[in-house]
Amino acid sequence: MGSPIRIGNLRNPNETMRLAVTIFVGAVVGFFLGVSFPTISLTKMNLPSTLFPSIDLSCIEEKYSGFSPQVLLSAWSSLKGNEQRTEKYVSQETKIWVPTNPRGAESLAPGIIASESDFYLHRLWGLPSEDLLVKPKYLVTFTVGCAQKKNVDAAVKKFSENFTILLFHYDGLTSEWDEFEWSKRAIHMSIQKQTKWWYAKRFLHPDIVAPYEYVFIWDEDLGLEHFDAEKYIKLVKKHGLEISQPGLDPKSGLTWQMTRRRDNSEVHMQTEERPGWCSDPHLPPCASFVEIMAPVFSRDAWRCVWHMIQNDLVHGWGLDFALRNCVEPAHKKIGVVDAQWIVHQGVPSLGNQGQAEGGRAPWEGVRERCHSEWAMFQARMTGAEKAYFEEMGVDPPNSTAH
């Protein structure tokens, strides 16, 4: 007979026992290692869909993992929370906070802040840097109604392309001005039955008009036949005027002595009024004074004046007596330009926007409010100054509002 076939070598009983113990210890260690680490969710792994084309991974996870989907979701949320806390900690380290930035913009990098604006018109195409062939250096505003179209048209033509033209429409009519070529380049704002000081307070914030060296805030009923805007600016700069107005034709009706045009003079800054009207030759209405019908403000002076305009006092009466608070020395910085003069036509157009009450004409109620606003403004200025000096422990001087 041939030799028997060997199926395998028989191991020593001691070796067999050692192998069994090794397998058991490995299984125990593997178990504890497994429960010591978070379960890896196959459904969260980014595996190619072609790798397991017919296997429902979520089903496998739910059947064979020792944790329910709710437990896994809780663990995942906890992990995300830890990540968010880490991110928050990092962001606090790199957070932008610049206290010297404009209020509300402290969290912005200073290089992105555009704190000022303008009324420059821009195209809808092309490069922004190529939009403006001419960048206007001055701003002129007229508060207008359609009835004064011809007069305003003649006035606007006295201003060169160095001026941005801004019209405030108190009658709500704007398209009627399209017949004028310049109107297509002008800025139009329309709110019915409002005055120029109402408009100025809301639309001429100093940060909006900051690019303009001078701001003209004019009425619609002015005759500019003898006026040249460019020559006017040259005289204002020559004499260092921060607040000014053109001289008024003495024939153009009731005017203050200070604002009357003088012959053979470029500019004047002082005058003589009726006895007892001026307690000090450097105070209004003998000096430091222009009227509110056609004032011109430097950029810096307007920043102060804008803050002085009251929100609810829309006619501006009394404001002219307080302008001297905004420049120093006022009797040398506020003046009337005689060489460039205008005519005040005295058209009561805005007065007709009032309302007839108690048998009175519309303009009567408007005029009554003008006078009452003047008294209110004086009282507010006097009260504010008195409160300031009392807080400082100083006896208040005479009020600058009168």
Side-chain angles (χ1 to χ4, degrees), residues 294-326:
V296 179
F297 303 95
S298 71
R299 180 193 294 117
D300 291 339
W302 177 247
R303 182 168 291 278
C304 172
V305 172
W306 183 88
H307 285 280
M308 190 166 56
I309 299 172
Q310 305 292 287
N311 288 318
D312 58 331
L313 306 184
V314 297
H315 290 290
W317 279 37
L319 187 64
D320 39 15
F321 281 80
L323 293 176
R324 71 186 188 90
N325 291 273
C326 289

Side-chain angles (χ1 to χ4, degrees), residues 193-202 292 302 305-320 322 350 366 368-382 401:
K193 298 182 182 296
Q194 300 302 321
T195 71
K196 71 175 181 180
W197 298 110
W198 183 93
Y199 280 107
K201 186 64 173 178
R202 286 149 184 84
I292 59 173
W302 177 247
V305 172
W306 183 88
H307 285 280
M308 190 166 56
I309 299 172
Q310 305 292 287
N311 288 318
D312 58 331
L313 306 184
V314 297
H315 290 290
W317 279 37
L319 187 64
D320 39 15
L350 187 59
V366 173
E368 182 180 14
R369 173 154 177 166
C370 288
H371 285 288
S372 65
E373 284 196 6
W374 191 352
M376 293 169 69
F377 182 75
Q378 288 178 336
R380 291 182 188 183
M381 283 293 294
T382 301

Side-chain angles (χ1 to χ4, degrees), residues 65-116:
S65 70
F67 303 93
S68 67
Q70 289 78 7
V71 174
L72 293 173
L73 180 60
S74 176
W76 177 253
S77 299
S78 177
L79 180 61
K80 292 296 290 182
N82 290 335
E83 292 177 356
Q84 291 173 356
R85 284 193 292 273
T86 302
E87 291 174 359
K88 185 176 181 181
Y89 174 77
V90 173
S91 67
Q92 289 295 332
E93 291 294 320
T94 59
K95 185 178 179 63
I96 294 175
W97 187 259
V98 186
T100 56
N101 281 355
R103 187 177 66 176
E106 295 87 351
S107 61
L108 298 178
I112 195 59
I113 292 176
S115 61
E116 298 175 350

Side-chain angles (χ1 to χ4, degrees), residues 243 254 357:
I243 301 176
L254 181 64
E357 293 179 335

Side-chain angles (χ1 to χ4, degrees), residues 226-241:
H226 306 283
F227 180 82
D228 183 290
E230 292 286 352
K231 292 181 179 179
Y232 182 90
I233 292 292
K234 289 181 180 179
L235 288 171
V236 165
K237 291 182 177 180
K238 175 182 177 180
H239 293 275
L241 299 180

Side-chain angles (χ1 to χ4, degrees), residues 338-357:
D338 300 300
Q340 295 296 319
W341 52 285
I342 61 176
V343 176
H344 183 210
Q345 299 169 342
V347 178
S349 51
L350 187 59
N352 293 333
Q353 296 293 311
Q355 182 172 334
E357 293 179 335

